[in-house]
Amino acid sequence: MFRLLGGDGCCVKFASVNIQAKTGVVWETIKSDSEHELEQNIPTSILVGLGAKKMFRQPSKLAIGVAVMAATAIYGITEAAPAQAFIFNGDRIEVDAAQDLGKSFQVNFDGNVERNTVEGLSSLAKFTLTSVTGNQAIFNIELSNTSNNGITSRTSALGFDIADATVTSASVLSGSLFTNAVLNDAFPNGFGKVEVCFINNATNCKGGGGTGNNSGVLTGATGSFAASITLSESTQKFAMSNFGVRYQSIDDGGELSGASGTGMGTTSPIATKPKQPTSIPEPATSTAIFLAGVGLLSAGRKKQPARF
């Protein structure tokens, strides 16, 4: 590497030998890695004449810093958590078909007999919105009897209300759990009115009905069915509330033998394990990369690469 020192009559030091340059321009061997810059005010014509006007570029720290920071930002955007399906508010859930189609929520039911809570009497329902067309919405519903603590029972009906709209019709499309949909009736045991219930009884929401005494879901079992509801308003946006179930054949091995009751529901999202990226840095690593990018950006701005 060479360093241009000055004007006419000077000499070039090269390998400790003095050499007179024909052009009268002087160069000196540079042995120190710390000296990389040309002296100021050297005529461009001299450099061109010597064939020395070349661009020796180190990798641009400025460019690398910007690239690293951009990559970190892109990673943050692509790994952002997806928007939560549905809007939950106690026993009420708001549905937006544009973003909730194909997604699921669950309803946890407690249990009571004659308005007295029975610990261990419980059920769980999973609703999946599978279709929305005009004023009709279709759900696939999985109903589980989760009774425990020595309690056995039969979950024999499931019902709910539609807020800000009227259910004009409902039906069971498929599945062997329930066969009928009943509108504008009530669950017993002090629960009160429900706008629609799914049950094997063809006339009301109060009795188990159906074939034999095992209509519904027994303790530890799960049943499913597809249900259609048609509303007086568009099903693009609607709300559901007042979820309830009917229990029959309740038995705790004592005084509740053969009792019946009901359960109130509370909605909630379905818990899922977060997806673990396999080839994308973890957040701590991403932070380190981002800080490295900031450092390179700062270094690139402080010292620009030599050009000669």
Side-chain angles (χ1 to χ4, degrees), residues 166-291:
T166 301
V167 179
T168 58
S169 66
S171 62
V172 175
L173 301 179
S174 63
S176 57
L177 178 55
F178 298 132
T179 57
N180 299 308
V182 178
L183 301 183
N184 302 314
D185 201 58
F187 283 147
N189 194 48
F191 185 97
K193 294 181 179 181
V194 288
E195 194 167 6
V196 58
C197 78
F198 298 94
I199 194 170
N200 279 338
N201 189 321
T203 59
N204 61 69
C205 300
K206 299 176 181 63
T211 304
N213 293 323
N214 293 326
S215 172
V217 185
L218 298 178
T219 300
T222 297
S224 64
F225 65 102
S228 167
I229 57 172
T230 302
L231 308 182
S232 58
E233 308 291 338
S234 170
T235 53
Q236 290 301 310
K237 290 186 178 182
F238 60 97
M240 305 167 70
S241 64
N242 194 37
F243 292 88
V245 291
R246 171 91 162 103
Y247 293 110
Q248 292 182 274
S249 307
I250 302 170
D251 191 349
D252 66 349
E255 61 183 20
L256 291 181
S257 179
S260 64
T262 54
M264 297 286 295
T266 302
T267 63
S268 65
I270 295 176
T272 58
K273 293 182 179 180
K275 183 179 179 181
Q276 296 295 330
T278 57
S279 59
I280 301 176
E282 295 180 356
T285 305
S286 298
T287 302
I289 293 174
F290 177 80
L291 293 176

Side-chain angles (χ1 to χ4, degrees), residues 47-300:
L47 294 175
V48 173
L50 289 172
K53 190 173 183 181
K54 298 180 181 179
M55 306 296 289
F56 295 93
R57 297 181 181 269
Q58 297 178 355
S60 172
K61 293 180 180 179
L62 181 63
I64 294 174
V66 172
V68 170
M69 293 174 70
T72 307
I74 292 172
Y75 163 67
I77 293 172
T78 56
E79 287 300 302
Q84 175 65 57
F86 308 105
I87 298 176
F88 299 89
N89 183 16
D91 75 333
R92 177 188 171 103
I93 181 167
E94 296 179 15
V95 181
D96 185 340
Q99 66 178 15
D100 296 334
L101 190 63
K103 297 179 181 178
S104 304
F105 67 90
Q106 66 184 16
V107 185
N108 293 280
F109 298 94
D110 60 11
N112 67 87
V113 174
E114 296 180 356
R115 302 187 181 185
N116 295 314
T117 300
V118 178
E119 295 295 334
L121 182 61
S122 61
S123 293
L124 173 67
K126 175 184 176 182
F127 289 71
T128 302
L129 182 62
T130 60
S131 175
V132 173
T133 305
N135 289 14
Q136 183 189 61
I138 298 176
F139 287 93
N140 184 70
I141 303 173
E142 296 178 9
L143 180 62
S144 302
N145 185 323
T146 55
S147 296
N148 57 82
N149 196 33
I151 300 290
T152 59
S153 64
R154 177 167 52 93
T155 308
S156 59
L158 168 69
F160 52 83
D161 291 347
I162 298 294
D164 306 322
T166 301
V167 179
T168 58
S169 66
S171 62
V172 175
L173 301 179
S174 63
S176 57
L177 178 55
F178 298 132
T179 57
N180 299 308
V182 178
L183 301 183
N184 302 314
D185 201 58
F187 283 147
N189 194 48
F191 185 97
K193 294 181 179 181
V194 288
E195 194 167 6
V196 58
C197 78
F198 298 94
I199 194 170
N200 279 338
N201 189 321
T203 59
N204 61 69
C205 300
K206 299 176 181 63
T211 304
N213 293 323
N214 293 326
S215 172
V217 185
L218 298 178
T219 300
T222 297
S224 64
F225 65 102
S228 167
I229 57 172
T230 302
L231 308 182
S232 58
E233 308 291 338
S234 170
T235 53
Q236 290 301 310
K237 290 186 178 182
F238 60 97
M240 305 167 70
S241 64
N242 194 37
F243 292 88
V245 291
R246 171 91 162 103
Y247 293 110
Q248 292 182 274
S249 307
I250 302 170
D251 191 349
D252 66 349
E255 61 183 20
L256 291 181
S257 179
S260 64
T262 54
M264 297 286 295
T266 302
T267 63
S268 65
I270 295 176
T272 58
K273 293 182 179 180
K275 183 179 179 181
Q276 296 295 330
T278 57
S279 59
I280 301 176
E282 295 180 356
T285 305
S286 298
T287 302
I289 293 174
F290 177 80
L291 293 176
V294 172
L296 288 171
L297 180 61
S298 177

